[in-house]
Amino acid sequence: MTLSVSLTACASSTANSTCLLPDYAPAQEALQKMEGEVLSKGPQGEEPVSADTLGLTGTEVEEVKGKKATAAIVMHYTGDDWTAAQLNGLRTRFAELGIEVIGVTDAGQDPSKQVSDIENMIARQPDIMVSIPTDAVATAGAYRRAAEAGIDLVFMDNVPTGFVPGEDYISAVSADNYGNGVVSAHLMAQALQGKGNIGVIKYGVDFFVTNQRYEGFTETIRNEYPGINIIAERGISGDDLAGEAQNTANAMLLRHQDDIDGLWGVWDVPTEGIMAAARTAERDDIKITTEDLGLNVAIATAQNTAVAGLGAQRPYDQGVAEATLAAYGLLEKDAPPYVALGALPVHHGNLLEAWQDIYHQDVPEPLRESYVECTPPTN
């Protein structure tokens, strides 16, 4: 990916508002040093291998096509921008490899529903299953039955408890979730110029990738920015994560009032609730950072309101990597146990370019129409 990262995050031209990210050298330099690096380890402590190193020769592609293989995709949930991009990448790459996708399931974040989805797909006898476990423990038995049925497994983000790469599954592919947490911490520090009080809204479920984001954010703030204090912290869970995050942010803003300067959300959907809470409290001065470039937080960034910046995944490219690794399994080709894609800082200044590189699609009209110019703040 050749996206250039402009860390000043301010557009020139006609000014409608003041940019949310002032110059702040410590944060800007830290973000520049991160370019091209992957900070996360795998679910079992594996060293990351870049997705850019994966590949198949022309001969290997033809061999995979000759197998006329089938694939099942078993998701934790669908309907968000991240999942849509993953599925787009998977389907595109599978089509290039002559692999037929026979079904996509949506567990609605319910482990018991996902167990049923896995068992239904086993009955259809696919050659490949690509999946993200909702619960590493509760779903492990069902995935074990899939492996015993001879189905090649590729995991995204999370791995069932007790599974060994190269034996029970081909590989796991993930964004650099720790790195995304680090990126959002540096962007928060830049927005606050290294001083202030913040609240943290994390995912209240033991989930590998969200744990990494939380650790990346909080460890970076505490270790590198002594002028920023985390004064409130709560976890959320349930079916309505945006609503839960809004209630939690409301409580933080009410309790701390003018003493709180920023809020961090663990991904874009809870952050939509944080944005709503800030609007309700009429706190347009609150700086928000998060992870994942969903459309709603992208629009807020385009409007230069609330969201100062975020660490973005590359879900389309992740889907392509997962499909390629599935082909490795069909070919019995050695695969790295953990593949990761580097974190990308996104803010007002590189937003529209970032959208195209992340999703491999044109910028949606609502996002393009929402974009306003901004001027650098006076420090």
Side-chain angles (χ1 to χ4, degrees), residues 170-235:
I170 298 167
S171 183
V173 186
S174 183
D176 182 3
N177 283 287
Y178 187 91
N180 274 311
V182 173
V183 162
S184 62
H186 290 312
L187 289 169
M188 178 67 79
Q190 186 174 346
L192 298 178
Q193 294 191 279
K195 296 180 181 179
N197 298 322
I198 61 173
V200 168
I201 297 178
K202 62 182 180 179
Y203 190 41
V205 176
D206 186 13
F207 196 72
F208 175 67
V209 297
T210 52
N211 290 347
Q212 284 201 315
R213 294 176 179 195
Y214 165 77
E215 291 165 6
F217 179 82
T218 55
E219 289 174 4
T220 301
I221 291 293
R222 289 176 172 135
N223 293 339
E224 300 189 33
Y225 298 105
I228 299 177
N229 303 306
I230 298 173
I231 62 171
E233 182 178 318
R234 278 193 62 184

Side-chain angles (χ1 to χ4, degrees), residues 67-86:
K67 294 181 180 293
K68 300 187 183 301
T70 58
I73 304 174
V74 178
M75 299 301 296
H76 54 341
Y77 67 88
T78 61
D80 64 324
D81 296 313
W82 180 89
T83 303
Q86 280 260 1

Side-chain angles (χ1 to χ4, degrees), residues 350-366:
N350 70 354
L351 173 65
L352 301 184
E353 184 185 0
W355 183 280
Q356 294 176 83
D357 278 20
I358 290 165
Y359 289 109
H360 293 243
Q361 295 177 343
D362 291 338
V363 176
E365 198 61 30

